Amino acid sequence: MAGLTGEWEKALRGEFSREYYKKLFFFIRGEYSRTAVYPDSDEIFTAFHLTPLEKVKVVILGQDPYHNEGQAHGLCFSVKPQVEIPPSLVNIYQELHDDLGCRIPNHGCLTSWAEQGVLLLNTVLTVQAHKPMSHRGVGWEEFTDAVIREVNKQERPIVFFLWGRPAQEKARMLNNPRHLVLKAPHPSPLSAYRGFFGSRPFSQANDFLTAHGAEPVRWEIEDI
């Protein structure tokens, strides 16, 4: 697993010496050695590499990576270019279009968001091929809880998108009044019509950031 650097490494250094992380490290290393696991091992921490802690302005929480070949690359909801756009991301793009009028792109790679300070964080960072949630409960949740706590400590305004019940369970850690927490149903086709559509998270986030003197996110994604 490629390590963390910069402010992330400083903030999370203590986690690497904890017993749960040692067990997690050896478990994940063993998984990669004996079976297909996604994303590639050098992409596990892509979200952190593209979005330094000191640059985070929005956090979007997912669950675990896509479990089919060629999809996951370390950013929640995002897929590599040339990969078919997954249904949840189709719905995210539809809400983005309805909310801000953004044109829907021809691909599902969200790297441009990450590079602007949108932390695209899954709560579980790896998965066995074709076995969704297969790495739940092995330690990733404890690690990503630590990540959320570190972001919560930041004194600049940050927006958290909590889509679906698992993400909303993290709200207990978000007690910094400087931040904005936006809750909505998950964008999955199973739940998007229960209130995700029409929730307008993107305009709310930008209005909040602008009101607090921060640069808004350019949500529209260019075609490739």
Side-chain angles (χ1 to χ4, degrees):
M1 301 188 320
L4 299 180
T5 59
E7 293 301 313
W8 282 122
E9 193 278 331
K10 293 178 184 177
L12 298 169
R13 184 180 298 160
E15 298 302 307
F16 304 136
S17 61
R18 295 183 61 190
E19 192 62 28
Y20 88 86
Y21 193 87
K22 293 176 184 177
K23 293 179 179 178
L24 170 64
F25 178 85
F26 286 110
F27 172 81
I28 296 300
R29 189 169 71 173
E31 287 285 273
Y32 275 97
S33 70
R34 62 177 168 262
T35 189
V37 175
Y38 302 129
D40 291 343
S41 60
D42 60 354
E43 294 179 321
I44 292 174
F45 292 129
T46 295
F48 304 94
H49 297 152
L50 291 179
T51 313
L53 175 58
E54 65 273 20
K55 301 293 186 182
V56 175
K57 61 177 65 175
V58 176
V59 178
I60 301 179
L61 287 180
Q63 295 183 34
D64 69 334
Y66 296 119
H67 55 86
N68 290 325
E69 183 178 1
Q71 291 181 304
H73 63 127
L75 303 176
C76 76
F77 294 109
S78 180
V79 291
K80 295 178 181 179
Q82 312 305 328
V83 173
E84 182 179 0
I85 302 173
S88 290
L89 185 53
V90 169
N91 288 340
I92 290 170
Y93 282 167
Q94 185 61 54
E95 177 61 20
L96 177 60
H97 171 75
D98 294 345
D99 185 4
L100 291 175
C102 294
R103 179 181 43 77
I104 296 174
N106 62 358
H107 64 95
C109 184
L110 304 181
T111 298
S112 66
W113 290 1
E115 291 174 340
Q116 294 180 71
V118 180
L119 181 64
L120 296 164
L121 180 68
N122 279 312
T123 55
V124 174
L125 300 186
T126 55
V127 67
Q128 273 192 35
H130 316 303
K131 294 183 179 179
M133 301 306 292
S134 52
H135 286 174
R136 178 173 54 186
V138 301
W140 280 130
E141 293 93 340
E142 193 165 352
F143 178 75
T144 54
D145 279 359
V147 172
I148 294 167
R149 287 193 295 269
E150 289 299 326
V151 178
N152 180 65
K153 290 178 185 177
Q154 304 299 303
E155 289 304 304
R156 65 188 179 281
I158 295 172
V159 185
F160 292 83
F161 291 179
L162 304 184
W163 293 337
R165 185 172 298 173
Q168 289 168 18
E169 290 174 355
K170 307 297 185 183
R172 57 186 167 77
M173 294 182 286
L174 303 177
N175 56 12
N176 188 333
R178 293 179 179 269
H179 305 325
L180 175 65
V181 178
L182 299 176
K183 299 179 182 180
H186 195 275
S188 161
L190 297 175
S191 55
Y193 287 94
R194 299 173 187 168
F196 175 78
F197 289 133
S199 60
R200 302 182 65 84
F202 307 101
S203 60
Q204 289 189 72
N206 276 0
D207 288 347
F208 177 80
L209 292 169
T210 301
H212 289 82
E215 188 74 18
V217 177
R218 300 184 306 278
W219 292 108
E220 185 160 282
I221 297 171
E222 297 295 324
D223 285 342
I224 57 173

